[in-house]
């Protein structure tokens, strides 16, 4: 879970729990995994819909659903940075390790 902080509450703590799940499909020369998670407000934990989530340094990403959940597929295995952006909130990012299954 990545918690976004409203710009007016930048001093609030930002929490993160992003799961790196192994990909069910492996390509001959590609080692990838799936990243899933949830974007919520740091204060109160309300889900944030339509937040932009991307894997830094790639073109991979998407938007959160109404419950703040997202899935990004075909993420290269190894350490990556997940970044979340939404108008009206401070940017949040977390480094995770994506495993191949």
């Amino acid at each position: 879970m990545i918690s976004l902080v409203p710009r007016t509450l930048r001093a609030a703590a930002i929490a993160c729990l992003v799961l790196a799940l192994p990909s069910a499909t492996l390509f001959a020369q590609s080692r990838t995994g799936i990243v899933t998670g949830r974007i919520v407000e740091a204060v109160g934990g309300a889900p944030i819909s339509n937040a932009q989530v991307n894997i830094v340094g790639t073109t991979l990403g998407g938007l959160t659903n109404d419950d703040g959940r997202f899935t990004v597929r075909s993420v290269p295995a190894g350490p990556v940075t997940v970044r979340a952006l939404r108008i009206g909130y401070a940017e949040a990012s977390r480094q995770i390790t994506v495993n191949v299954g």
Side-chain angles (χ1 to χ4, degrees):
M1 173 172 27
I2 296 178
S3 298
L4 294 182
V5 179
R7 290 193 188 270
T8 57
L9 298 174
R10 286 186 186 223
I14 297 176
C16 170
L17 174 62
V18 178
L19 303 175
L21 302 175
S23 175
T25 306
L26 295 178
F27 300 98
Q29 296 180 358
S30 177
R31 296 174 52 87
T32 63
I34 298 173
V35 176
T36 63
R38 188 169 188 226
I39 309 299
V40 299
E41 289 186 348
V43 177
I48 299 175
S49 62
N50 296 313
Q52 218 177 358
V53 178
N54 67 356
I55 307 301
V56 175
T58 74
T59 58
L60 302 172
L63 295 175
T64 59
N65 65 14
D66 290 339
D67 194 34
R69 297 186 187 282
F70 67 91
T71 299
V72 182
R73 299 180 190 285
S74 300
V75 179
V80 298
T81 300
V82 179
R83 179 174 53 197
L85 304 161
R86 178 74 159 92
I87 293 174
Y89 293 87
E91 177 181 318
S93 62
R94 294 293 176 264
Q95 188 165 31
I96 63 167
T97 300
V98 177
N99 297 315
V100 175

